[in-house]
C-alpha cells in the first residue's frame, strides 16, 4: 500500500479507479499539457485517465500520487527513480489543474514528497527539468530547496515551440528550506 502524505493544505494519496473522470477533466487542458512532456497526452481522455490509474495501481509507478484538497482531485505528483548507476536519484514531476494554480498546492505537495523520499527511501538526490516558459514551476522547486544546476539550451521541442530546459536538483544532505 502506498503512503498517503499530509502536505498541510492538501494530501498526496494513492490514485483510485474512481479518480478517472476527475483526472480526465483536470488534465484535459492545453495550458496544463504545455508544461509537461510528450508522455502527458493532449487531449487527455477518460481512456488516458483509466490507463494511467491502472498503471499506477499495478505498482509500475510506486511513487505516484494524486494531489487532493478538500476532497477534490487537484493534480498529480510522481517521483520516478533512475536505474543502474543512477539508482539513488529520481526525477520529480507535478502538475495541477489550471483552476488550482497559485494556491500553494504544488509547493506543499513537493515539500511532502521530498520529506518522504529523503526520510523513507534510499534516494539521495531529486531532480527536475522545467520548461523555460514556466517560472511558476521554478519557484515551486526553489521554495523547496532545489538549486538551479544548469540549462539545456533549446532542449525541448513542444507543439512546434523550442525552449530551454532548466535543470534543478536537491540532495538529501542539502539544508531544509525555511
Amino acid at each position: 500500500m502506498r503512503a498517503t502524505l499530509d502536505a498541510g493544505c492538501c494530501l498526496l494519496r494513492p490514485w483510485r479507479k474512481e479518480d478517472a473522470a476527475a483526472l480526465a477533466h483536470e488534465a484535459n487542458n492545453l495550458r496544463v499539457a504545455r508544461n509537461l512532456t510528450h508522455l502527458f497526452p493532449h487531449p487527455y481522455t477518460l481512456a488516458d485517465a483509466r490507463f494511467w490509474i491502472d498503471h499506477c495501481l499495478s505498482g509500475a509507478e510506486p511513487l505516484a500520487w494524486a494531489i487532493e484538497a478538500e476532497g477534490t482531485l487537484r493534480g498529480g505528483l510522481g517521483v520516478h527513480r533512475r536505474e543502474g548507476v543512477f539508482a539513488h536519484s529520481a526525477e520529480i514531476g507535478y502538475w495541477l489543474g489550471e483552476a488550482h494554480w497559485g494556491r500553494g498546492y504544488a509547493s506543499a505537495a513537493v515539500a511532502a514528497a521530498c520529506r518522504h523520499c529523503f526520510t523513507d527511501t534510499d534516494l539521495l538526490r531529486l531532480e527536475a527539468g522545467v520548461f523555460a516558459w514556466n517560472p511558476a514551476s521554478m519557484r515551486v522547486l526553489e521554495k523547496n530547496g532545489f538549486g538551479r544546476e544548469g540549462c539545456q539550451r533549446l532542449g525541448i521541442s513542444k507543439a512546434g515551440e523550442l525552449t530551454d530546459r532548466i535543470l534543478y536538483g536537491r540532495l538529501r544532505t542539502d539544508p531544509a528550506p525555511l
Side-chain angles (χ1 to χ4, degrees):
M1 176 92 178
R2 290 172 187 82
T4 295
L5 309 178
D6 184 348
C9 65
C10 60
L11 291 176
L12 274 67
R13 61 156 175 82
W15 287 99
R16 302 185 280 230
K17 286 194 178 281
E18 58 267 26
D19 290 327
L23 172 56
H25 172 76
E26 294 293 349
N28 189 30
N29 179 315
L30 186 57
R31 292 187 68 197
V32 171
R34 182 175 190 259
N35 294 305
L36 299 165
T37 74
H38 61 286
L39 299 174
F40 194 95
H42 184 76
Y44 199 107
T45 67
L46 185 57
D48 294 320
R50 288 179 176 142
F51 175 83
W52 173 249
I53 292 167
D54 287 344
H55 179 72
C56 291
L57 294 177
S58 76
E61 296 291 337
L63 296 174
W65 294 276
I67 300 172
E68 177 185 296
E70 299 170 356
T72 303
L73 180 74
R74 306 297 169 116
L77 184 146
V79 177
H80 306 283
R81 182 182 286 273
R82 304 279 192 214
E83 297 177 346
V85 298
F86 306 106
H88 291 287
S89 296
E91 182 174 18
I92 188 168
Y94 45 90
W95 66 274
L96 293 170
E98 185 177 5
H100 314 296
W101 292 357
R103 298 183 183 192
Y105 298 131
S107 293
V110 169
C114 288
R115 278 191 304 275
H116 174 73
C117 288
F118 290 145
T119 302
D120 300 324
T121 77
D122 64 347
L123 288 170
L124 302 175
R125 175 184 169 78
L126 292 174
E127 53 198 39
V130 181
F131 295 21
W133 60 56
N134 191 353
S137 188
M138 293 179 211
R139 184 70 188 122
V140 166
L141 294 167
E142 290 163 357
K143 284 185 201 176
N144 279 288
F146 284 75
R148 183 175 170 152
E149 296 183 333
C151 173
Q152 292 176 320
R153 296 177 299 149
L154 299 182
I156 293 172
S157 174
K158 179 79 182 219
E161 292 183 75
L162 291 170
T163 193
D164 297 342
R165 181 174 184 247
I166 311 303
L167 306 174
Y168 281 85
R170 179 174 168 195
L171 302 178
R172 177 185 287 185
T173 56
D174 287 344
L178 300 175

